[in-house]
Amino acid sequence: MVILTDNRRDVLEGRSDWSDDAIINEKSRIRNKSRTALDELIEVAQSNRIENRSVFDPEQVGMLLFWILNDPAMIDDGGLLGAGDDVDEAAKATIPDNLQRYQQEVHSEAAQELLRIDQPGRGRR
């Protein structure tokens, strides 16, 4: 399954000349296909027929985690998306509350899973 066609990449990069409605629909398709792909990757990781190291490069897993935790849709170039020049520098440097909550949730989930591996009997069951 191919998730990112050239047109979808254009939508993600903000270069699409489609109508607003078409872009909204395409973003919805990207979200749905990405969720399905993630579910399938989890299924592959859980299988005892394929070694995870042959599929999941540690560097790419780390990179994915980095971009999930540092959501560029919520922060752009170190500042708040949509913030104009009249916003003070301290506000631009602040991580939005929604992103902080999301980072905490992802970090907590990852920590629970790592704890479960590192210390059997602890962490989420």
Side-chain angles (χ1 to χ4, degrees):
M1 161 176 64
V2 175
I3 296 172
L4 295 180
T5 62
D6 288 340
N7 287 335
R8 288 185 181 147
R9 279 193 171 90
D10 288 345
V11 167
L12 288 179
E13 294 170 6
R15 294 183 297 147
S16 178
D17 59 358
W18 292 353
S19 71
D20 289 345
D21 287 342
I23 290 172
I24 289 168
N25 288 334
E26 203 58 34
K27 284 181 180 179
S28 177
R29 287 186 191 99
I30 292 168
R31 284 185 193 97
N32 290 332
K33 289 184 180 290
S34 295
R35 285 185 197 111
T36 299
L38 186 56
D39 288 342
E40 290 177 359
L41 287 171
I42 291 168
E43 193 174 337
V44 169
Q46 291 173 331
S47 170
N48 64 354
R49 301 293 177 203
I50 296 175
E51 290 185 7
N52 287 337
R53 64 184 176 169
S54 71
V55 179
F56 303 102
D57 177 88
E59 185 176 340
Q60 287 183 308
V61 172
M63 189 181 310
L64 176 61
L65 210 73
F66 174 85
W67 287 112
I68 288 171
L69 289 170
N70 293 289
D71 188 348
M74 295 180 101
I75 296 180
D76 186 38
D77 295 329
L80 302 179
L81 273 180
D85 291 335
D86 56 339
V87 175
D88 71 28
E89 291 304 311
K92 288 184 180 181
T94 301
I95 297 175
D97 289 342
N98 288 340
L99 179 55
Q100 286 184 42
R101 281 191 294 278
Y102 179 70
Q103 287 175 332
Q104 289 168 352
E105 289 174 26
V106 172
H107 187 274
S108 176
E109 290 295 320
Q112 286 295 317
E113 295 305 326
L114 290 171
L115 185 60
R116 193 166 70 153
I117 291 167
D118 291 341
Q119 298 177 17
R122 296 200 51 201
R124 185 172 293 109
R125 296 184 206 293

